[in-house]
Amino acid sequence: MIRADIARNHSIQELARRVDLSPGRLQHLFVQEIGVPLRTFRIWIRFRHAVERAGNGDSITSAALDAGFSSSSHFSHAFKATFGATAASVLKDAPSRVRIQLIE
């Protein structure tokens, strides 16, 4: 569900109902199986989508909004907090060579 509609903030209750678990049990199993909390996973999926879009020529703003970030400043702040560099500095020189790999 998260990957199918990355711009939507599915609630933990909604996701838990979908898989017939309590929200607490889903959170526990998610961390156990994936290795990170649901919120972290969702933001990584969004980062990957935004980087791919920017690498394909979209503006950083357009890519960020399409990936579900509320604004380009929200994306920029989250990107810098996560990677230690601004998205513009990372993506401007070689956007097609930047990849975010999620181990699945």
Side-chain angles (χ1 to χ4, degrees), residues 33-97:
E33 293 297 319
I34 304 300
V36 296
L38 177 67
R39 180 176 161 84
T40 302
F41 178 80
R42 180 174 36 224
I43 201 162
W44 276 87
I45 292 292
R46 289 177 176 178
F47 280 141
R48 187 168 85 177
H49 181 79
V51 167
E52 287 173 359
R53 292 284 307 265
N56 288 329
D58 287 3
S59 70
I60 292 174
T61 298
S62 175
L65 294 174
D66 187 62
F69 288 92
S70 59
S71 66
S72 60
S73 62
H74 175 227
F75 171 74
S76 296
H77 177 73
F79 193 96
K80 187 169 185 174
T82 301
F83 300 110
T86 65
S89 68
V90 171
L91 298 174
K92 73 174 180 170
D93 295 326
S96 62
R97 293 184 302 199

